[in-house]
Amino acid sequence: MFTDLVNYIVWNPDPIIGSLGPITLRYYSLCWIIGLALGYVLMQKLYRQQKLSDEQFEPLFIYIFLAILLGARLGHCLFYEPDYFLSSGTHLLEMLLPARYGADGSWHITGYEGLASHGGVFGLFVGLWLYCRNFKVPGWVVLDNMGICSSITAFFIRLGNLMNSEIIGKVTDVPWAFIFARVDGYPRHPGQLYEAICYLLFFFIILIIYKKKGTQSIGSGLYFGLCLTLIFIARFIIEYTKEIQVAFESSLPMDMGQILSIPLIIIGVYSIATSGKRMKLKEVIRK
């Protein structure tokens, strides 16, 4: 089946860019930074188009960054490795610190190795709720703007997974298969790349719809709904090409990524289905 391994894409980049003293700079971290920075710039532009003040915008990034980071980290630890992280006080501390406790009895700065996108989304909801409550910005307005921006950030995060050779796909003989040399010598589906391409496509689709409908459509829930629905339907389907990440998933009817995608798809479909009512209410209020 795999006699022509030379025809596949051998993937073996060094995940580390370089070091500054005890701090190690990784491609994964860089992709997160680029994705969040682009989301920040685009979100700021949307706020200004919609006549929302800089004073309302400026705290948003801090709320989003901390909420996504904390949610993604806790999501990974609790959804995928609860047996490890809940087994001792030291491991519990590792959930929150960008470091690992080594066998030599000392701490090693590693960055956050393990971030779950579903956890990041749930963390985002909490962060946005706190932001809207404290700065009196309508929740659906913020959610719609996030719906326009989020896919570009998700695109870069999946590129980071690709650079880490993590979340690998199942063994396959498709001609575009990747051999993840740091994992094994088998050609596999590049599931991270599948997701990245989908997310980039969704970003442009949602942005085009926004440009066509204009700023008056913000606050309807349409863009938030489109973002959740498109991303997590794609995620649900692509999961069929991936290897399970942790052993206990093999006993489940579907893997953890698919299970966690279902409620987000439902929320997304609901937001789209009810967006027309919110638009009509906005028009009545304007009159």
Side-chain angles (χ1 to χ4, degrees):
M1 181 178 179
F2 307 120
T3 54
D4 298 321
L5 291 179
V6 70
N7 295 326
Y8 298 112
I9 299 167
V10 178
W11 187 253
N12 191 30
D14 188 340
I16 298 175
I17 301 172
S19 298
L20 294 173
I23 300 175
T24 300
L25 182 60
R26 299 172 178 268
Y27 283 105
Y28 183 65
S29 302
L30 181 62
C31 286
W32 264 83
I33 291 169
I34 293 173
L36 288 171
L38 286 175
Y40 175 91
V41 171
L42 180 57
M43 191 79 159
Q44 185 178 54
K45 183 176 180 179
L46 293 172
Y47 261 57
R48 289 175 176 171
Q49 286 178 352
Q50 298 157 27
K51 311 302 181 185
L52 294 167
S53 69
D54 287 342
E55 288 74 17
Q56 290 174 301
F57 169 74
E58 287 166 359
L60 178 62
F61 181 76
I62 299 300
Y63 276 79
I64 289 175
F65 177 78
L66 293 177
I68 290 177
L69 182 62
L70 184 59
R73 180 59 178 164
L74 292 178
H76 171 82
C77 298
L78 298 177
F79 294 152
Y80 292 101
E81 295 186 78
D83 291 344
Y84 174 82
F85 285 103
L86 300 180
S87 63
S88 71
T90 300
H91 293 168
L92 196 64
L93 193 58
E94 287 182 72
M95 291 173 62
L96 302 177
L97 298 177
R100 283 274 184 171
Y101 189 72
D104 59 358
S106 63
W107 287 90
H108 303 274
I109 297 175
T110 60
Y112 287 112
E113 294 182 325
L115 298 170
S117 58
H118 293 91
V121 173
F122 291 121
L124 175 64
F125 289 160
V126 175
L128 290 180
W129 175 75
L130 291 171
Y131 165 79
C132 293
R133 187 188 68 174
N134 292 335
F135 293 92
K136 312 304 179 186
V137 181
W140 283 108
V141 169
V142 182
L143 288 173
D144 266 348
N145 284 323
M146 286 300 304
I148 296 170
C149 300
S150 295
S151 296
I152 194 65
T153 301
F155 164 73
F156 278 98
I157 291 172
R158 280 297 177 253
L159 288 185
N161 295 136
L162 182 64
M163 296 303 297
N164 266 0
S165 297
E166 61 189 0
I167 317 180
I168 60 172
K170 295 177 180 177
V171 173
T172 181
D173 59 355
V174 296
W176 57 85
F178 278 42
I179 296 176
F180 294 97
R182 293 174 55 223
V183 179
D184 57 28
Y186 294 108
R188 295 178 176 275
H189 283 289
Q192 324 94 320
L193 191 57
Y194 295 163
E195 286 190 59
I197 292 170
C198 285
Y199 299 162
L200 186 62
L201 177 62
F202 298 157
F203 168 71
F204 285 113
I205 290 172
I206 294 172
L207 187 63
I208 289 169
I209 293 172
Y210 167 70
K211 288 184 175 294
K212 183 177 180 180
K213 288 183 173 292
T215 58
Q216 67 273 13
S217 61
I218 292 293
S220 66
L222 173 64
Y223 305 105
F224 172 67
L226 282 172
C227 179
L228 284 187
T229 304
L230 290 173
I231 282 180
F232 288 103
I233 285 178
R235 174 72 185 269
F236 189 95
I237 295 170
I238 293 170
E239 287 293 315
Y240 285 112
T241 71
K242 295 181 187 177
E243 290 284 11
I244 59 173
Q245 294 189 53
V246 285
F248 74 82
E249 290 182 284
S250 61
S251 63
L252 300 175
M254 57 185 71
D255 70 27
M256 185 60 72
Q258 291 173 314
I259 292 171
L260 295 172
S261 292
I262 291 172
L264 295 170
I265 294 170
I266 292 171
I267 293 171
V269 171
Y270 169 80
S271 299
I272 295 171
T274 56
S275 62
K277 293 181 181 179
R278 281 185 287 275
M279 272 302 301
K280 290 178 181 178
L281 181 60
K282 284 185 64 178
E283 291 171 1
V284 170
I285 294 172
R286 280 201 299 267
K287 292 178 181 178

